[in-house]
C-alpha cells in the first residue's frame, strides 16, 4: 500500500470529492487483495479502494454486481416495517453506498496508470474485530450473515456476473496447486513437506460440495463470498452486527462458502495471522453461538440437504484457504499480499491445523448443526 504515492491518492480522492476538499487519507483495514483507505473530506468520511485488477480482471463487472446488490437490498430495507424480517424491525442494518465521481458520470475512476478505484460511504459508529472477543459477539456474527442472506436471497442470480471464475471451487484450486508444485522452486522444508502430505491425504475429499451441486442437490444462490470475521461491522455501542462489507465477491455460489468462511474465521480464537500454529483449534462453543445466530435469521432459507453439508463446508473452506495460501507461497506470493517470505506458508499451516481440528470434531459439529437447525425450524412453525 505504501507504494501508492500520496499525490496519486489525493488526485483519486479528489475525483470523487472535489478539488481541495480532501482533508486526510489513511490506510484502512488489513485486506489481502485490494488497497483500502479512509478518506476524510469536507463533507464526509468515505472508503476509497483500488481494486486489484490482477485478481478481479473485469472490475466493471464487480461494479455491476455492486449496483445490483445496492438496488435490491435498499428496496428491501425500505419496505414497510411489518413486511420486514422480524430482526430488522428492531435493529439498524446498513449497506455502504457507492459514491459517484465528482462529475456524476460514474461510480469508479480509472487512473492513467490503469488503476481502478471506487469510493463507498463509511458506515459510522462501527468497529470490526480480527478475533472473537466473547460468545455473544459470535452470535452476532452469525446473525449478521443470516440477515445478509435473507436480504439477498431473492436477488436473481442471473443478474449477477461471475466476477471471479472458479472462486471457492475447491477441485479447481487443487489443480492449480498441482501445477504450482511442479513448477515451484521453493526450497523444501519441514513446513512445506507437512503441507504437501496434508493435502495428499485429503485430495479425495475436495469435491464434496461440487459433487452435491452437480447432482442438483445444492442451488446456486447470491452469496457474499468473503464473510470473514473482520468484514462484519459491529455497532460501537450495542455490539450488534450492522453491515457486511467487502462486497466484491458477491456473485452466484453456494451458501456453504459463506457459512464455512464465517465459521472458519470466527471459531479460530487465535486468528488467521497467528504464528502459534500448533495451538490453533476450532472452538465448538463459538460455532454453536454463530450457528444459533445464523439460524435465528435465516433457518427458513435452507433445505435439509444444504443444512446437512454445513459441517463439511467448514472443514472444506478452511482446507481450501490453506491450499490457496500454500499455492501462492509456491508461486512466489503473487495473489495474497505477503509481508515476509514465508508469510503465506504460515497462513496455510494455520488453515490446515484448523481444518484438522474441524475434522477431529466433525461428529460433534454435525450433531450441533442438526440440533440447532431443528430447534429453529420448530420455533418458526
Ligand atoms: C482475501 O482481501 P480479503 O482479505 O478480504 C480473499 C478471501 C480469503 C481471505 C483470507 C478475493 O480476502 O477469499 O478468504 O483473503 N479474497 C479474494 O484472509 O481472494
Ligand atoms: Mg475480500
Amino acid at each position: 500500500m505504501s507504494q501508492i504515492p500520496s499525490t496519486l491518492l489525493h488526485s483519486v480522492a479528489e475525483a470523487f470529492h472535489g478539488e481541495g476538499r480532501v482533508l486526510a487519507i489513511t490506510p484502512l483495514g488489513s485486506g489481502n487483495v485490494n488497497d483500502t483507505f479512509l478518506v476524510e473530506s469536507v463533507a464526509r468520511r468515505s472508503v476509497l479502494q483500488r481494486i486489484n485488477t490482477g485478481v478481479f480482471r473485469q472490475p466493471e463487472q464487480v461494479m455491476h454486481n455492486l449496483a445490483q446488490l445496492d438496488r435490491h437490498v435498499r428496496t428491501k430495507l425500505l419496505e414497510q416495517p411489518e413486511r420486514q424480517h422480524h430482526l430488522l424491525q428492531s435493529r439498524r442494518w446498513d449497506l455502504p453506498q457507492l459514491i459517484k465521481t465528482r462529475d456524476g458520470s460514474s461510480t469508479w475512476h480509472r487512473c492513467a496508470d490503469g488503476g481502478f478505484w471506487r469510493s463507498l460511504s463509511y458506515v459510522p459508529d462501527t468497529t470490526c474485530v480480527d478475533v472473537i472477543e466473547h460468545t455473544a459477539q459470535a452470535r452476532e456474527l452469525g446473525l449478521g450473515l443470516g440477515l445478509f442472506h435473507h436480504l439477498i436471497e431473492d436477488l436473481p442470480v442471473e443478474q449477477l456476473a461471475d466476477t471471479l471464475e472458479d472462486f471457492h471451487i475447491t477441485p479447481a484450486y487443487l489443480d492449480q496447486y498441482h501445477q504450482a508444485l511442479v513448477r515451484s522452486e521453493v526450497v523444501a522444508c519441514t513446513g512445506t513437506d507437512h503441507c504437501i502430505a496434508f493435502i495428499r491425504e485429503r485430495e479425495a475429499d475436495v469435491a464434496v460440495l461440487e459433487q452435491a451441486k452437480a447432482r442438483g442437490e445444492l442451488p446456486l444462490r447470491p452469496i457474499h463470498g468473503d464473510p470473514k470475521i473482520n468484514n462484519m461491522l459491529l455497532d460501537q455501542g450495542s455490539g450488534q452486527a450492522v453491515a457486511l462489507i467487502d462486497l466484491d465477491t458477491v456473485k452466484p455460489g453456494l451458501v456453504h462458502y459463506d457459512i464455512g468462511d464465517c465459521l472458519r474465521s470466527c471459531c479460530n480464537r487465535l486468528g488467521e495471522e497467528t504464528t502459534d500454529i500448533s495451538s490453533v483449534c476450532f472452538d465448538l462453543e463459538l460455532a454453536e453461538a454463530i450457528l444459533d445466530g445464523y439460524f435465528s435469521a435465516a433457518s427458513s432459507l435452507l433445505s435439509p440437504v444444504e443444512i446437512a453439508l454445513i459441517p463439511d463446508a467448514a472443514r472444506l473452506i478452511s482446507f481450501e484457504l490453506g491450499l490457496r495460501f500454500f499455492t501462492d507461497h509456491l508461486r512466489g506470493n503473487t495473489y495474497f499480499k505477503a509481508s515476509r517470505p514465508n508469510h503465506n506458508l504460515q497462513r496455510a499451516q494455520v488453515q490446515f491445523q484448523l481444518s484438522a481440528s474441524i475434522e477431529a470434531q466433525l461428529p460433534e459439529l454435525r450433531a450441533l448443526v442438526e440440533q440447532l437447525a431443528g430447534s429453529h425450524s420448530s420455533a418458526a412453525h
Side-chain angles (χ1 to χ4, degrees):
M1 272 199 310
S2 51
Q3 70 273 29
I4 302 175
S6 68
T7 47
L8 174 67
L9 270 177
H10 264 269
S11 77
V12 173
E14 285 185 344
F16 291 97
H17 301 285
E19 214 170 302
R21 292 172 61 87
V22 174
L23 306 175
I25 307 179
T26 42
L28 185 66
S30 50
N32 292 328
V33 173
N34 296 328
D35 298 306
T36 308
F37 301 88
L38 177 66
V39 174
E40 314 234 13
S41 69
V42 172
R44 65 200 309 179
R45 291 172 110 189
S46 59
V47 176
L48 184 65
Q49 282 188 304
R50 181 172 70 171
I51 308 283
N52 182 334
T53 47
V55 170
F56 298 103
R57 292 182 182 271
Q58 292 178 289
E60 291 87 353
Q61 290 200 342
V62 171
M63 301 308 287
H64 163 85
N65 284 0
L66 266 181
Q68 299 294 323
L69 175 81
D70 188 87
R71 208 177 35 179
H72 183 85
V73 171
R74 249 171 251 292
T75 308
K76 273 184 96 158
L77 288 174
L78 287 172
E79 280 180 343
Q80 295 300 319
E82 58 276 14
R83 296 198 60 200
Q84 296 276 2
H85 191 294
H86 70 279
L87 288 169
L88 287 172
Q89 293 172 8
S90 54
R91 61 163 63 218
R92 164 187 179 209
W93 189 265
D94 214 331
L95 183 75
Q97 190 152 21
L98 284 166
I99 296 171
K100 285 197 168 171
T101 48
R102 195 68 183 155
D103 60 9
S105 64
S106 176
T107 52
W108 69 84
H109 172 77
R110 247 200 209 278
C111 286
D113 68 358
F116 189 100
W117 294 82
R118 57 107 192 279
S119 174
L120 290 156
S121 62
Y122 181 83
V123 183
D125 307 318
T126 55
T127 181
C128 65
V129 291
D130 289 327
V131 289
I132 289 266
E133 292 166 334
H134 48 81
T135 313
Q137 192 174 62
R139 192 173 187 284
E140 276 301 313
L141 287 154
L143 188 150
L145 180 62
L147 274 182
F148 186 83
H149 282 170
H150 158 77
L151 286 165
I152 62 173
E153 57 119 3
D154 48 355
L155 170 59
V157 282
E158 304 75 43
Q159 287 179 18
L160 296 173
D162 188 353
T163 46
L164 207 49
E165 211 188 325
D166 288 345
F167 190 52
H168 290 313
I169 310 290
T170 319
Y173 289 118
L174 188 64
D175 288 346
Q176 291 174 23
Y177 156 73
H178 282 300
Q179 288 166 23
L181 190 60
V182 171
R183 294 188 195 132
S184 170
E185 284 165 15
V186 164
V187 182
C189 64
T190 323
T192 55
D193 288 351
H194 178 257
C195 288
I196 291 167
F198 191 88
I199 296 165
R200 193 185 310 119
E201 286 159 19
R202 285 155 186 85
E203 290 204 3
D205 301 329
V206 300
V208 55
L209 291 179
E210 289 311 303
Q211 283 166 352
K213 187 169 87 183
R215 289 194 300 269
E217 293 170 7
L218 305 177
L220 276 185
R221 298 178 183 276
I223 60 156
H224 180 279
D226 185 14
K228 67 176 176 182
I229 181 166
N230 52 18
N231 280 335
M232 187 70 74
L233 299 185
L234 306 166
D235 184 272
Q236 249 162 12
S238 67
Q240 287 189 331
V242 167
L244 193 49
I245 55 165
D246 193 10
L247 304 163
D248 299 318
T249 46
V250 168
K251 68 182 198 97
L254 300 180
V255 77
H256 298 86
Y257 308 152
D258 278 358
I259 302 174
D261 201 55
C262 177
L263 286 168
R264 70 133 199 102
S265 67
C266 296
C267 298
N268 164 12
R269 284 188 184 269
L270 299 184
E272 64 185 60
E273 292 292 333
T274 183
T275 51
D276 186 5
I277 292 158
S278 61
S279 302
V280 170
C281 68
F282 183 82
D283 189 311
L284 214 52
E285 198 186 308
L286 292 179
E288 178 172 5
I290 288 164
L291 290 163
D292 184 47
Y294 182 82
F295 287 133
S296 74
S299 68
S300 61
L301 298 184
L302 306 189
S303 72
V305 184
E306 286 181 298
I307 291 171
L309 279 169
I310 289 175
D312 300 87
R315 178 194 66 78
L316 189 68
I317 293 296
S318 316
F319 175 78
E320 178 193 280
L321 185 58
L323 190 61
R324 294 171 63 200
F325 280 140
F326 188 53
T327 303
D328 202 35
H329 171 70
L330 296 175
R331 283 179 178 161
N333 310 316
T334 57
Y335 187 101
F336 297 104
K337 289 178 196 167
S339 51
R340 50 186 182 279
N342 284 342
H343 196 169
N344 279 319
L345 172 62
Q346 169 210 317
R347 289 166 166 161
Q349 290 173 300
V350 170
Q351 293 305 316
F352 287 150
Q353 178 78 13
L354 184 64
S355 182
S357 171
I358 301 173
E359 259 170 31
Q361 300 180 83
L362 261 182
E364 292 86 347
L365 186 56
R366 287 196 204 290
L368 191 63
V369 168
E370 197 178 322
Q371 179 240 316
L372 286 170
S375 63
H376 280 281
S377 84
S378 53
H381 290 117

